[in-house]
Amino acid sequence: MERTAFEPFGEQLVSGTDAQPKSRASKLLLRAGTALFWSLVAGIVLARATFFEPGIYDGFSRVASLAKSLIF
């Protein structure tokens, strides 16, 4: 019987052999999923940089100042 290792906060430690995919298909799926994730992250960041409008939040500051003047 194998002993299970725990870290100081009570989480179970996974051995290095358990964490790695065993078959070629699972390795391929892991790489494809990782590539898809990071390509989506890069696409979102590039889209945000491309379509960023600095003055879009000016209306919010006007509403906030109006609310502040009404409250105080």
Side-chain angles (χ1 to χ4, degrees):
M1 180 178 242
E2 187 177 317
R3 296 186 99 192
T4 306
F6 291 93
E7 69 175 8
F9 295 106
E11 292 290 324
Q12 184 175 357
L13 295 175
V14 179
S15 66
T17 57
D18 293 342
Q20 298 176 354
K22 293 178 177 49
S23 70
R24 184 175 179 194
S26 63
K27 287 181 184 180
L28 182 63
L29 283 173
L30 178 66
R31 287 187 185 200
T34 304
L36 177 66
F37 172 77
W38 286 113
S39 63
L40 287 173
V41 168
I44 290 170
V45 168
L46 287 174
R48 296 270 306 185
T50 303
F51 298 111
F52 179 71
E53 295 179 20
I56 198 165
Y57 297 110
D58 289 345
F60 177 74
S61 64
R62 286 189 298 240
V63 172
S65 66
L66 176 66
K68 184 178 178 182
S69 65
L70 289 175
I71 292 173
F72 296 109

